[in-house]
Amino acid sequence: MRPVTTFRVIPKIPESIEKLRTLAYNLNWSWDYEAVSLIRRMDHDLWEEADHNPVKILGMISQERLDELSKDDGFLAHYRRVTEKFERYMQEPKWYDRHFGKKDAIIAYFSLEFGITEALPIYSGGLGILAGDHLKSASDLGIPLVGVGLLYQSGYFRQHLNYDGWQAESYPINDFYNMAVEEVKDQNGNNLVVSIDLSGRKVYAKAWLVNVGRVRLYLLDTNIPLNTGLDHDITDELYGGDNEKRIQQEMVLGIGGIRMLRQLGILPAVCHMNEGHSAFLGLERIRILMHEQKMTFKQAIEVVRAGGVFTTHTPVPAGIDVFPSDLMRKYFVDYAKELGISWDDFLALGADSYENRHNGFSMAALAFHLAERSNGVSKLHGHVSRNIFRYIWPGLPQEEIPITSITNGIHHRSWISHDVESLYYRYMGENWIQEPQNMNKKEHVDEIPDEELWRTHERRRERLVSFARKKLKKQLIRRGAPITEIKTAEEVLDPEILTIGFARRFATYKRADLILRHPDRLARILNNENTPVQIIFSGKAHPKDTPGKELIRELVHLSQREEFRKRIVFLEDYDIAIARYLVQGVDVWLNTPRRLYEASGTSGMKAAVNGVLNMSILDGWWDEAFKQGIGWAIGKVDEYSDINYQYDIEANAIYDLLEKEVIPLFYTRTDKLPRGWIHYMKESIRSLYPVFNTNRMVIEYTERCYNKAENRYSLVTQNNFENAKELARFKDNIAGKWAKIKIEDIRSDAEEKVMIGHCLTVLATVNLGEIHPDHVDLQVYHGLVDNTGMITDGVSDSLKDIRKLSDGKYEFSGCLNCTLSGMQGFSIRILPKNDLLENPFVPGLIKWAV
């Protein structure tokens, strides 16, 4: 029966504890152990039953219990501590305020998923967790930032394994009215709704607000009565559906997100695209500028690029959203007309070159074209990204491709166990928690007594084993396992032995099965009577990833063999809660991706802050973090053409490390303590804690991207956008004449041998046609020459002396300082030059000597 009237029932909270509602509706509680402790104190059983959701707890708890708490002196004292701490946090000046002054939101951070807490299930994995941690650190630092995403009716799937170990998926419906999300109202008190044109029809999306400390996260939801048919389902599932559902979601996120912010009166100077999913936002910003400021497309794109920041997380081309041309035509042919550009020019925005415009519309290419600042998420990934996307800047040496790197981090307070956090407070001071990026008194780590650090870690392992047993028992009961097998679950794992954790998405390239490659050898290692080892696995395979599902089934089958029954466990339905237990409780965090296939990885960082040691392939963040004495590197950086041989080499490297280094270090005891292991723990904390955190990461984004983009945006928009118009005129003018440039002659006084310190004279005769010499930068690009005859790690110097030879023809000259020995070489190139250019590497505008 459909109701004739709907209304929302909320608990009546006594006045003395009325701020419980404010605490519940701000996700700041998710990284404040004292706040979590207060909520658990209300009703510990409800905390578990409500999936750690304070809003749901307030809806489930009895009125009698609330009244009882309002008169409990102990609870009231705890309540006052938490609320006073929260109010100080929300009001006191933060890092950004002290360095740049207080500002309203000028940065909009767009992401398809946000992993903030298990109580808000709108995330799938690493990308979402990174986005959630980004918001938390932005709050801690006072960054003037708002988040924009989608509110999913089902979110990502819940994982269940059948008795054969095969993954099945379910999609529980999220009850928004029992989550920490609130409807956003417009000036008239009505729900704020935006509309998006999708293939000739209007689709509407309702705005919701999530408070993440001091940061506001706005989410859009299409499951509302204004929509009809399948349009309700656009925001149903995260990463569900086909290409058409994906393009619809990304239009709602990018285009709808910008429209929502404008209705809220938020006009960000900077838009940060966390992966290419939200890149349509740039098109919408262009459309608005053209409509409201009467700008041309080429003028508007200069403004949008100035305020655009793009972070790519993709290490392989296959991971990029690429939409077929016919699908783009269905949804954007009218949009292109509104932008005043041809369909071919529109498609070129999503291609690496105009010639390849019909090969599919790449969201990453669109993001690169609409952002002046782009980055990968580790140093190695920056190198990989420059290689993947080099075609956007044809002819440019890889090291000069304008994609930098800002290595990911984690939000420490969200992932450190309460036990370890207390330890840090006692021995290393508050700044270790509050300002990890500023931690410079590294010797404080040594002040932690070995015994106290070890006993603290042992307690976490004991809790992990207890949690894993309960979780496994529930899994087996749900699968209908025999009672004997269920009883065995109470005896799996051992709280006192070396414990390895492996948890991540079960994509084949992450190679969860690498350590299982030779079961007989692994069995001998795990079941050694004097030095036993155990492994806990967890992770989901994408619903359409059959090979990933097969990996899980093989792992489960292996774990049921007698020699592994008590030593290998798979915990299903991996989420933030399971991740927290694992990174806080294992001894070794195992990471085995194919090298160059993991952009960064952050789970190992979460483990490291808890004193857990990493054992990983040298990929992502570990490639730059690893050094002897803080963990272990699996294998070398060698790549073999035979993949099976590569896998064998690296699997055996794992076994060798375990047998010869890891296990002996763990079980060698002095005064009942593994002193060598504890030394590794301290060195790991000392080296990794201050660097691999989102405070450091967000500060880097602020200083290297946000503030520069804000200043750049201010520059091009001043004087009624005159600078943007001038830059567009310059590019348009020079682009039409660029093809006529000819480098006619190059001369130098180079001989076969040149002494170090010699100043080599270089002269180049160039026909610039109609281009004025002040509008070009003629450079000599030089460096060492490798055995293939190519310049490696080249640098450039401008030839600044100009002599006119005739109309359009000029001689450029200068000096090349020979500072390095070895085989050297140089070439000549011409780039556009204008004070308004952020960087001279404009795709298509570079001329090399041939």
Side-chain angles (χ1 to χ4, degrees), residues 61 124 160 247 265 273 350 384 440 665 754:
I61 197 168
S124 73
H160 306 285
I247 200 172
M273 297 168 278
V384 170
N440 53 19
L665 190 69
V754 176

Side-chain angles (χ1 to χ4, degrees), residues 341-621:
I341 58 176
S342 70
W343 183 241
D344 279 344
D345 285 344
F346 183 88
L347 288 180
L349 291 170
D352 54 36
S353 68
Y354 190 82
E355 292 72 25
N356 292 332
R357 63 193 180 279
H358 294 294
N359 292 349
F361 193 92
S362 163
M363 295 299 285
L366 177 64
F368 281 119
H369 284 134
L370 299 182
E372 283 188 344
R373 288 169 179 80
S374 303
N375 68 280
V377 290
S378 68
K379 291 179 181 177
L380 184 60
H381 181 238
H383 171 80
V384 170
S385 298
R386 288 188 288 274
N387 183 53
I388 293 174
F389 300 109
R390 66 187 183 277
Y391 303 107
I392 296 176
W393 296 271
L396 199 61
Q398 186 168 313
E399 65 270 13
E400 290 189 321
I401 290 171
I403 304 174
T404 185
S405 64
I406 296 178
T407 301
N408 281 346
I410 61 157
H411 185 255
H412 281 52
R413 296 184 64 195
S414 295
W415 299 102
I416 296 177
S417 74
H418 183 46
D419 311 75
V420 173
E421 183 184 67
S422 298
L423 202 62
Y424 289 168
Y425 267 122
R426 282 200 301 279
Y427 292 100
M428 295 184 292
E430 186 173 314
N431 282 348
W432 267 77
I433 302 299
Q434 304 296 344
E435 298 182 352
Q437 77 284 357
N438 289 336
M439 195 288 298
N440 53 19
K441 295 182 179 178
K442 299 182 180 182
E443 68 275 8
H444 284 187
V445 177
D446 294 325
E447 295 180 13
I448 304 175
D450 285 2
E451 183 172 9
E452 195 165 352
L453 178 60
W454 186 244
R455 299 306 175 215
T456 299
H457 177 66
E458 286 193 311
R459 284 196 300 274
R460 293 308 315 180
R461 192 190 316 113
E462 289 167 4
R463 291 175 191 172
L464 168 61
V465 168
S466 175
F467 169 80
R469 287 172 175 172
K470 292 175 184 176
K471 182 84 175 172
L472 183 60
K473 187 174 180 180
K474 288 180 181 178
Q475 291 173 196
L476 292 172
I477 291 172
R478 189 195 53 75
R479 291 180 209 165
I483 190 67
T484 53
E485 190 173 344
I486 294 171
K487 288 186 69 66
T488 302
E490 298 173 357
E491 300 173 355
V492 300
L493 306 177
D494 184 328
E496 296 183 355
I497 70 174
L498 175 60
T499 304
I500 299 172
F502 182 103
R504 52 194 31 84
R505 184 162 54 91
F506 265 65
T508 51
Y509 77 86
K510 291 181 181 285
R511 301 192 298 182
D513 59 339
L514 191 62
I515 194 173
L516 312 175
R517 192 165 180 84
H518 302 297
D520 292 342
R521 187 174 178 187
L522 179 62
R524 290 195 298 273
I525 292 171
L526 300 192
N527 294 301
N528 185 292
E529 186 176 346
N530 298 314
T531 59
V533 181
Q534 59 198 5
I535 312 173
I536 303 176
F537 290 90
S538 191
K540 297 177 177 179
H542 187 278
K544 296 179 180 178
D545 183 5
T546 300
K549 291 183 177 183
E550 189 61 47
L551 264 182
I552 294 174
R553 181 164 64 177
E554 290 174 4
L555 195 162
V556 171
H557 284 191
L558 189 74
S559 71
Q560 292 170 343
R561 286 167 47 172
E562 188 59 35
E563 64 268 38
F564 295 120
R565 190 175 295 276
K566 293 185 178 182
R567 293 287 185 256
I568 295 179
V569 167
F570 182 88
L571 302 180
E572 65 184 44
D573 204 28
Y574 184 47
D575 65 359
I576 288 176
I578 292 176
R580 199 178 292 118
Y581 271 100
L582 285 170
V583 299
Q584 293 173 2
V586 299
D587 299 295
V588 173
W589 193 260
L590 181 64
N591 187 34
T592 54
R594 282 190 63 185
R595 191 167 191 273
L596 305 183
Y597 277 64
E598 180 141 281
S600 176
T602 56
S603 58
M605 303 176 192
K606 300 177 182 96
V609 300
N610 287 286
V612 174
L613 302 183
N614 277 270
M615 184 166 70
S616 174
I617 297 291
L618 287 168
D619 198 11
W621 79 286

Side-chain angles (χ1 to χ4, degrees), residues 66-288:
L66 285 174
D67 292 338
E68 180 182 312
L69 292 171
S70 71
K71 299 168 186 174
D72 183 321
D73 289 341
F75 183 84
L76 288 173
H78 192 172
Y79 165 82
R80 283 191 293 271
R81 287 197 307 275
V82 170
T83 54
E84 288 169 5
K85 180 181 177 183
F86 173 71
E87 288 166 0
R88 284 196 306 273
Y89 175 86
M90 295 295 289
Q91 296 170 8
E92 65 187 8
K94 302 292 184 183
W95 174 85
Y96 191 93
D97 305 326
R98 295 193 296 269
H99 287 78
F100 304 102
K102 197 167 184 65
K103 297 179 182 178
D104 293 329
I106 55 168
I107 304 145
Y109 181 87
F110 284 70
S111 183
L112 198 61
E113 54 173 306
F114 287 91
I116 302 166
T117 164
E118 60 268 36
L120 185 64
I122 56 171
Y123 65 93
S124 73
L127 180 72
I129 301 297
L130 185 280
D133 282 6
H134 193 114
L135 296 194
K136 293 173 184 178
S137 277
S139 172
D140 290 344
L141 296 165
I143 310 295
L145 177 148
V146 295
V148 179
L150 302 180
L151 184 59
Y152 301 99
Q153 193 68 58
S154 299
Y156 204 52
F157 70 91
R158 302 296 298 269
Q159 178 196 54
H160 306 285
L161 305 185
N162 65 20
Y163 192 65
D164 189 42
W166 189 257
Q167 174 182 292
E169 299 87 30
S170 63
Y171 294 86
I173 301 300
N174 286 326
D175 179 4
F176 300 158
Y177 295 100
N178 273 312
M179 293 164 58
V181 296
E182 302 174 88
E183 296 167 316
V184 179
K185 304 295 183 179
D186 62 19
Q187 293 178 339
N188 299 317
N190 301 316
N191 290 332
L192 191 150
V193 174
V194 299
S195 66
I196 306 100
D197 297 303
L198 293 186
S199 189
R201 68 187 189 280
K202 291 280 188 186
V203 171
Y204 300 91
K206 174 181 174 180
W208 297 79
L209 169 65
V210 178
N211 288 302
V212 186
R214 293 158 58 116
V215 167
R216 291 165 291 162
L217 169 60
Y218 292 100
L219 304 170
L220 288 171
D221 160 32
T222 64
N223 188 19
I224 58 177
L226 286 172
N227 290 322
T228 58
L230 296 177
D231 291 340
H232 285 114
D233 302 332
I234 292 175
T235 58
D236 186 20
E237 298 173 19
L238 172 61
Y239 301 132
D242 54 13
N243 257 346
E244 187 144 21
K245 176 66 69 67
R246 179 64 69 87
I247 200 172
Q248 292 171 353
Q249 283 190 342
E250 295 184 5
M251 291 178 74
V252 172
L253 174 63
I255 297 171
I258 289 294
R259 294 180 182 180
M260 173 182 61
L261 291 178
R262 289 178 61 79
Q263 285 188 227
L264 290 165
I266 300 172
L267 305 176
V270 180
C271 286
H272 184 172
M273 297 168 278
N274 187 43
E275 202 39 274
H277 307 125
S278 60
F280 290 140
L281 70 85
L283 300 178
E284 178 64 8
R285 296 183 87 192
I286 291 170
R287 188 194 66 80
I288 291 168

